[in-house]
Amino acid sequence: MPPMEKAKKIWFNGEHVDWDDAKIHVLSHVVHYGSSVFEGMRCYETSNGPACFRLTDHVNRIYDSAKIYRMPIPHEKETLTSAICETIRINELASCYVRPIAFRGYGSLGVDPTPCPVDVVVAVWKWGAYLGAEALEKGASVRTASWNRLAPNTMPSLAKVGANYMNSQLIKLEAMADGYSEGIALDSSGYVSEASGENIFMIKNGAIYTPSSGSSILPGITRHSVITLARDLGFTVTQRAIPRESLYIADEVFFTGSAAEITPIAEIDHIPIGNGTRGPVTKQLQDAFFGITDGTAKDKHKWLTFVGG
Ligand code: PPE
């Protein structure tokens, strides 16, 4: 991942501050205990200006994550939604990645977060292809992680929270140490779960499969978009437990995520998937997806929010 490109302003508790001034105290609760809930979405360049992909769904999810963690976000959803649009406009980026985050701030340490304020931030920056531009076409080389994804009743996987990404980091660092770009983690029963920051799909004999929410996944918004587009295209999509080895013998496997978009997988554990390159169904789904995000196809599900400016 190349170093981050600074944008101009960050929305910090209701005000836009300069990028370099968006700071917190080192004794903030979140630094010690991972107490943040966050989102990641992309804002795409279209001929009608920048458009956020599934803005409302991302805003709803951060409030859901906060609810699971009993964290009161001190703003209405509408306020956060307008803050996101304003932050994109004010930074004058044609396209960007958008990171709203709410976290337990500075006030008191100790596990109990209630004495700490809940701070809310919205940042945007330019972010290229998550697993490299080449992977979008040629496919990524990945491994099965030796770490499992979060077991049910330990850390809730439906919440997108900072602390969950310590598990993600174990998966990612192990994969990179072995020369892979990503790791696929299994759930605590040994079935396929998800990658460090992506959901996973497989295609076998023209049918599409993805792990269900019972496999410790974050139910991704891109995952939902791909399921919808695939069904629009006439495919059957089944959410079910997927044994690891069925990935090896699948015709195609791909990742989905706001950052990763739809990234094909060329090989897993050095076993080529299908013919070891992007498959035709993955390409068809990419075309449908990027057609909507670049504004050239009809946005029939109303997934784009034009931010103006
Ligand atoms: N699972 C995990 C663990 C995950 O982090 C993501 C998003 C997904 C699935 C896909 O969810 P969705 O974006 O709603 O389709 N990962 C975000 C974080 C990436 C990062 O490195 O930070 C993302 O893609 O924005």
Side-chain angles (χ1 to χ4, degrees):
M1 208 57 91
M4 191 163 204
E5 243 183 83
K6 288 184 192 179
K8 293 180 197 159
K9 299 275 184 188
I10 290 178
W11 190 88
F12 201 133
N13 288 337
E15 277 172 51
H16 280 110
V17 301
D18 287 340
W19 179 279
D20 287 332
D21 295 336
K23 294 184 177 150
I24 59 166
H25 197 280
V26 290
L27 297 181
S28 298
H29 197 273
V30 62
V31 177
H32 299 254
Y33 309 113
S35 29
S36 67
V37 301
F38 70 99
E39 271 310 313
M41 74 194 104
R42 281 188 186 268
C43 176
Y44 288 93
E45 180 173 9
T46 77
S47 52
N48 294 320
C52 253
F53 188 69
R54 304 201 63 171
L55 174 58
T56 310
D57 300 293
H58 284 281
V59 169
N60 285 338
R61 191 169 65 184
I62 196 173
Y63 281 83
D64 285 347
S65 300
K67 184 174 188 183
I68 291 168
Y69 278 91
R70 303 170 193 264
M71 181 193 288
I73 296 184
H75 302 282
E76 297 298 324
K77 283 186 185 176
E78 295 69 31
T79 310
L80 185 61
T81 306
S82 335
I84 291 169
C85 295
E86 269 170 46
T87 308
I88 296 166
R89 279 196 297 272
I90 213 169
N91 281 287
E92 298 180 306
L93 295 168
S95 65
C96 56
Y97 183 81
V98 185
R99 169 60 50 85
I101 182 162
F103 55 89
R104 305 280 191 173
Y106 175 76
S108 151
L109 283 182
V111 171
D112 172 14
T114 54
C116 302
V118 175
D119 292 324
V120 185
V121 166
V122 180
V124 303
W125 64 89
K126 269 203 201 168
W127 214 5
Y130 192 58
L131 297 174
E134 207 183 86
L136 282 175
E137 235 175 84
K138 301 225 167 90
S141 170
V142 308
R143 62 164 283 170
T144 308
S146 68
W147 296 99
N148 286 346
R149 207 61 183 125
L150 312 158
N153 218 14
T154 59
M155 305 280 288
S157 69
L158 303 198
K160 187 170 171 69
V161 305
N164 287 1
Y165 288 82
M166 289 306 276
N167 173 264
S168 290
Q169 288 177 52
L170 292 170
I171 295 163
K172 187 77 174 182
L173 288 166
E174 176 187 65
M176 292 192 313
D178 289 345
Y180 301 92
S181 60
E182 184 54 291
I184 298 168
L186 307 178
D187 66 18
S188 57
S189 306
Y191 291 102
V192 175
S193 176
E194 62 178 352
S196 74
E198 303 94 343
N199 292 118
I200 189 164
F201 284 76
M202 59 165 268
I203 296 145
K204 184 73 176 176
N205 300 326
I208 303 179
Y209 303 89
T210 192
S212 71
S213 61
S215 280
S216 299
I217 62 165
L218 177 73
I221 291 168
T222 321
R223 173 181 178 276
H224 178 266
S225 308
V226 164
I227 292 173
T228 307
L229 292 173
R231 288 183 177 151
D232 286 352
L233 290 165
F235 291 101
T236 60
V237 185
T238 310
Q239 302 175 49
R240 65 155 164 84
I242 295 182
R244 163 183 180 168
E245 65 277 19
S246 61
L247 296 181
Y248 297 145
I249 57 174
D251 300 323
E252 302 178 38
V253 179
F254 61 85
F255 286 142
T256 63
S258 299
E261 300 169 307
I262 300 176
T263 302
I265 295 172
E267 51 170 31
I268 304 173
D269 303 329
H270 293 305
I271 298 175
I273 305 307
N275 57 13
T277 167
R278 175 176 63 188
V281 177
T282 308
K283 170 80 167 69
Q284 210 182 336
L285 292 166
Q286 281 182 327
D287 289 345
F289 179 82
F290 290 122
I292 292 176
T293 61
D294 70 14
T296 54
K298 188 169 183 307
D299 178 20
K300 90 173 203 205
H301 300 287
K302 300 198 169 32
W303 285 337
L304 298 183
T305 301
F306 291 91
V307 302

